[in-house]
Amino acid sequence: MGERLNGIQEVVSSILIGSTKATWRFIAMKSIKITFTLISIVSFAVSGTNANKSMKSSVIKSVKNQEKLIQEMIDMVFSFGELGFQEYETSKYLTEILKKNDFKVTEGISGIPTAWIAKWGKGKPVIALGSDLDGIPKASQTPGVGYYKPMIEGAPGHGEGHNSGQAVVIAAALAMKQLMIENKLKGTLIIWPGVAEEQLGSKAYFTRDGYFDDVDACIFTHVSSNMSVSHGQAGGNGLISVEYTFEGRTAHSAGSPWRGKSALDAVELMNIGWNFRREHLRPPNRIHYVITDGGDQPNVVPRNASVWYFLRELDYEHIMQLFDYSSQIAEGAAMMSDTKLISTRIIGSAWPRHFNEPIAKAMYKNIQAVGLPKWDNKDQTLAKAVQKEAGNKEQKGLSLKLAKLRGPVSSSNNWGGGSDDIGDISWAVPTVTLRFPSNIPGLPGHNWLNSISMATPIAHKGAVAGAKVVAMTLVDIFENKNLLKEAKKYFKNQTKETKYVPMIRNNDKPPIELNEKIMLRYRDEMKEFYYDPSKYETYLDQLGIEYPTVKK
């Protein structure tokens, strides 16, 4: 900028030399105005940059001061181990923290008892921060132990690591709240939970019910084994989750089976139909099912039977095409078994994800500034032991090199995979997902192995790093008005041709009864393992685990 100022002054001087006195005075005055204007611009830019750095230093310090709170939140939610739609202890605990910090909490949103939304502040911008809550069936595992050692055999646990994400966004929000108070910044912070993400069961309902209508941008977080963010169309699939229920007629299975009509036959015929049909579908498709009701007992022809399908594809059109195929197959199965298809229940859905480029690029700069946590020998020892237990040929341990900023995944290079209902929100408001390093690379996912690190220093360090990145990105959004302007411009282009249409229907309701029986079976026993931070520094201390505990 200094070179540009000198250049302008040289041009002005050359003009002055060949001018009349009157012209000289006129041009001299213009020169002074131009010079002062440019100096003012430079000063403003420098002061703005300094303010940004100062604010980021402030929120980093604030997050660091919350390291103990982050550890407690992660360990506490891990100890609850609740499944989707049954996150009662988890939601009660987290909302109490938010209420104590002056957030206004509205509970039971979208008809989901464990869902809530917390708000603090006033005016624009309105920034939403979210992360998931729920665990995985049969993922109970003693943390910090590098081999299979369930706390309760068969019980659920955090085999996806969703116990860590709310700690990231809450710590970042509290840091930003403090900064806003100190600097008298206007704006609103919103925190919300991804309830029943493993059933893709809440975010489409939140979107349909208008909870993001006034939101300017959304920052989502998800556990990973590195620190990363992406923009554009993400990899993986979207999906629709559907349960089909058939009705037949009971009879004695041995005495008079000819008088019965088996609803289970319809379920099995439907599964056979899909297993033949899948051969003739595009490679990115993923279709899987479980029989949720197969009858009561073998000697009674099943009157009712149900099967639950996940139908995955790359885009809305192909997902709905699979849904049409599925409906045809279900009707055909009912005809063949002489039963009735009495219910086609949409349980949840997930649009393919599309993330905002301007915010992602700003976030990645903050990722580079924060870097990966400093793993010690104990952390690496556990990681390598778990990788060996998983059957990995190489045990490289925890990530030491930051992941690169990832751009769009083209349809030709996207061969399908997992889904996340943050996709619905990403088509309602400019959205990014920060993946933070609280787990171990090279694990299968949805498995007890993924639970091992999730109440250890690995999870704590990764979440602290993630919270710093989120807080710094909040500073960028609040301090740099142009960033939000560019984010909205990108979002407008994103939605110009592709229009968001909810896959759930207006009369569909969240299946809040899901996982109720499983939690009823295990909850009392699990209560004995709830973390008590008033007595123990960490959950590992409470469990008496020497960190790390690995095979000799």
Side-chain angles (χ1 to χ4, degrees):
M1 182 64 81
E3 291 178 358
R4 291 181 181 177
L5 272 174
N6 291 335
I8 291 170
Q9 289 172 332
E10 287 175 8
V11 171
V12 172
S13 298
S14 64
I15 295 171
L16 294 177
I17 293 171
S19 303
T20 63
K21 289 184 179 181
T23 306
W24 186 92
R25 287 172 185 163
F26 174 78
I27 295 174
M29 291 301 293
K30 289 291 183 183
S31 174
I32 291 168
K33 287 182 179 180
I34 291 169
T35 303
F36 274 111
T37 300
L38 288 170
I39 290 171
S40 297
I41 291 170
V42 174
S43 299
F44 177 80
V46 172
S47 64
T49 302
N50 289 338
N52 185 282
K53 288 181 179 179
S54 176
M55 288 180 178
K56 288 186 176 181
S57 296
S58 179
V59 294
I60 289 172
K61 182 179 179 181
S62 181
V63 169
K64 186 170 179 60
N65 290 337
Q66 295 181 75
E67 286 182 355
K68 176 58 180 169
L69 176 61
I70 292 171
Q71 171 259 310
E72 286 187 3
M73 285 192 284
I74 289 172
D75 288 4
M76 185 68 81
V77 178
F78 182 93
S79 75
F80 294 144
E82 295 172 303
L83 295 174
F85 291 114
Q86 307 303 317
E87 310 98 326
Y88 289 97
E89 297 286 359
T90 301
S91 287
K92 180 182 177 182
Y93 169 71
L94 294 173
T95 54
E96 284 179 355
I97 291 173
L98 291 167
K99 289 173 184 177
K100 288 177 182 177
N101 285 278
D102 301 322
F103 278 76
K104 182 181 178 181
V105 178
T106 303
E107 298 174 88
I109 65 172
S110 291
I112 303 172
T114 58
W116 43 270
I117 191 165
K119 295 184 180 181
W120 180 88
K122 187 176 181 180
K124 292 283 190 175
V126 179
I127 309 301
L129 307 173
S131 200
D132 299 323
L133 301 178
D134 55 327
I136 298 290
K138 296 180 174 60
S140 177
Q141 170 65 24
T142 305
V145 176
Y147 49 84
Y148 186 56
K149 187 182 178 182
M151 291 189 285
I152 302 170
E153 183 66 50
H158 277 287
E160 172 77 357
H162 286 172
N163 61 299
S164 57
Q166 281 291 325
V168 172
V169 298
I170 289 175
L174 295 181
M176 190 64 200
K177 175 197 165 192
Q178 181 180 333
L179 183 76
M180 291 170 71
I181 292 171
E182 291 173 353
N183 292 271
K184 298 180 180 179
L185 299 176
K186 291 184 179 180
T188 305
L189 298 173
I190 293 178
I191 300 177
W192 58 274
V195 170
E197 188 277 334
E198 298 302 343
Q199 289 75 41
L200 294 309
S202 66
K203 300 185 188 79
Y205 292 97
F206 296 164
T207 305
R208 183 194 69 183
D209 296 342
Y211 288 102
F212 292 90
D213 286 354
D214 297 324
V215 172
D216 293 300
C218 176
I219 296 176
F220 189 68
T221 69
H222 196 284
V223 64
S224 185
S225 57
N226 205 315
M227 191 107 80
S228 64
V229 67
S230 65
H231 61 83
Q233 196 67 31
N237 284 325
L239 73 72
I240 188 166
S241 167
V242 192
E243 185 181 52
Y244 299 90
T245 299
F246 298 88
E247 182 181 84
R249 185 169 65 202
T250 62
H252 194 297
S253 298
S256 53
W258 55 87
R259 300 184 68 174
K261 296 180 180 180
S262 175
L264 180 59
D265 287 353
V267 164
E268 293 186 292
L269 287 166
M270 181 175 183
N271 296 341
I272 290 168
W274 257 123
N275 289 336
F276 277 93
R277 185 60 191 258
R278 71 174 76 238
E279 177 187 355
H280 307 289
L281 298 174
R282 300 186 340 149
N285 88 84
R286 300 286 190 278
I287 300 163
H288 22 268
Y289 60 85
V290 293
I291 297 174
T292 53
D293 181 4
D296 300 304
Q297 57 192 57
N299 64 338
V300 179
V301 174
R303 181 175 185 271
N304 295 105
S306 301
V307 59
W308 181 12
Y309 269 84
F310 274 15
L311 309 171
R312 305 187 197 243
E313 247 283 7
L314 295 184
D315 54 48
Y316 172 80
E317 288 75 19
H318 285 96
I319 295 166
M320 299 312 290
Q321 185 181 64
L322 292 183
F323 182 44
D324 290 341
Y325 290 160
S326 198
S327 298
Q328 293 169 7
I329 293 170
E331 290 166 0
M335 291 176 64
M336 286 187 286
S337 58
D338 196 19
T339 60
K340 296 178 182 178
L341 174 63
I342 62 171
S343 173
T344 299
R345 184 187 188 190
I346 295 178
I347 289 177
S349 68
W351 257 68
R353 296 159 293 166
H354 191 114
F355 296 126
N356 193 268
E357 183 176 358
I359 299 177
K361 288 184 174 180
M363 176 174 276
Y364 191 70
K365 289 180 181 178
N366 295 323
I367 288 173
Q368 291 176 307
V370 172
L372 289 167
K374 293 181 180 179
W375 312 117
D376 61 24
N377 289 334
K378 291 181 179 181
D379 301 330
Q380 292 289 10
T381 296
L382 178 64
K384 291 176 181 179
V386 175
Q387 288 167 341
K388 184 176 182 180
E389 190 72 14
N392 296 1
K393 291 182 179 180
E394 290 185 294
Q395 294 91 48
K396 295 182 178 180
L398 298 167
S399 300
L400 299 174
K401 184 180 180 181
L402 275 176
K404 294 181 179 180
L405 175 65
R406 294 173 300 181
V409 178
S410 66
S411 297
S412 60
N413 290 324
N414 190 352
W415 295 99
S419 312
D420 192 320
D421 49 355
I422 190 61
D424 288 78
I425 295 171
S426 76
W427 288 95
V429 62
T431 301
V432 295
T433 292
L434 170 70
R435 304 185 74 85
F436 59 93
S438 285
N439 217 310
I440 297 168
L443 303 185
H446 291 188
N447 189 280
W448 61 268
L449 287 160
N450 293 79
S451 298
I452 291 174
S453 72
M454 290 313 306
T456 73
I458 295 172
H460 306 151
K461 293 174 185 178
V464 169
K468 290 177 181 178
V469 171
V470 173
M472 293 168 73
T473 307
L474 285 171
V475 170
D476 287 328
I477 293 172
F478 275 80
E479 193 268 338
N480 181 2
K481 293 180 181 180
N482 192 54
L483 175 57
L484 199 54
K485 183 179 178 182
E486 289 300 312
K488 289 184 176 182
K489 181 180 177 181
Y490 178 91
F491 182 75
K492 186 177 181 180
N493 290 331
Q494 170 193 331
T495 55
K496 186 178 292 183
E497 295 182 2
T498 303
K499 302 298 181 183
Y500 174 73
V501 180
M503 296 184 213
I504 57 171
R505 300 159 298 196
N506 289 334
N507 61 338
D508 287 322
K509 297 180 180 179
I512 60 176
E513 80 286 354
L514 283 183
N515 297 315
E516 188 174 13
K517 290 181 180 179
I518 298 175
M519 290 307 302
L520 185 64
R521 177 181 177 184
Y522 291 106
R523 192 180 290 278
D524 285 344
E525 196 174 355
M526 292 170 70
K527 285 180 180 178
E528 298 177 15
F529 290 89
Y530 286 178
Y531 174 45
D532 185 352
S534 68
K535 294 182 180 179
Y536 301 95
E537 185 71 14
T538 69
Y539 195 42
L540 293 181
D541 291 337
Q542 180 171 322
L543 297 174
I545 301 300
E546 182 181 349
Y547 179 74
T549 297
V550 299
K551 289 180 178 178
K552 302 298 182 182

